[in-house]
Amino acid sequence: LSGGQVQRAAAARMFVRQSELLVFDDISSALDVETERQLWERLFARSAAPTCLVVSHRRAALRRADQIILLDEGRVVDRGTLDELLARNEQMQALWQSETADNL
């Protein structure tokens, strides 16, 4: 299986249960942009959307986050909404710009 296929199979197994908490470790990194968008859209379209703890640098995940905790070498360096972090944190700005360049 390709990386994207493995990730989709893992997500499908996770979604079979109606869990209150879902933990994702970069679940969408091997997905194409459209499949990634659909993953997050469908997850939060559920009537009882679960709480999600997501480890990711991907825009689709960051845009959905209520709170982002920015880590550097295992240490918390900042915390806030996407807009707050983009306004004040150079590391977040660089991450956001690198993600833009990767999607061009």
Side-chain angles (χ1 to χ4, degrees):
L1 297 175
S2 71
Q5 290 169 326
V6 170
Q7 286 184 321
R8 285 190 289 272
R13 286 193 310 267
M14 181 178 52
F15 293 139
V16 169
R17 301 179 64 153
Q18 295 296 316
S19 301
E20 292 180 29
L21 173 66
L22 299 176
V23 179
F24 302 104
D25 185 1
D26 215 10
I27 192 170
S28 61
S29 64
L31 300 178
D32 61 87
V33 174
E34 179 59 21
T35 303
E36 179 182 34
R37 184 193 61 74
Q38 288 178 6
L39 169 80
W40 295 112
E41 186 176 284
R42 290 177 182 169
L43 175 64
F44 291 102
R46 297 162 71 179
S47 58
T51 298
C52 297
L53 175 61
V54 181
V55 176
S56 185
H57 67 281
R58 305 278 293 184
R59 282 181 168 225
L62 295 171
R63 284 186 179 122
R64 297 258 180 201
D66 295 321
Q67 283 287 307
I68 298 170
I69 299 172
L70 188 60
L71 301 175
D72 186 17
E73 296 185 16
R75 292 201 155 133
V76 174
V77 294
D78 209 342
R79 176 182 173 176
T81 66
L82 177 59
D83 290 339
E84 291 168 347
L85 293 176
L86 287 172
R88 71 173 177 246
N89 188 289
E90 289 181 16
Q91 287 175 298
M92 189 64 169
Q93 294 163 6
L95 175 66
W96 194 256
Q97 292 305 315
S98 72
E99 186 71 11
T100 300
D102 291 344
N103 288 327
L104 295 179

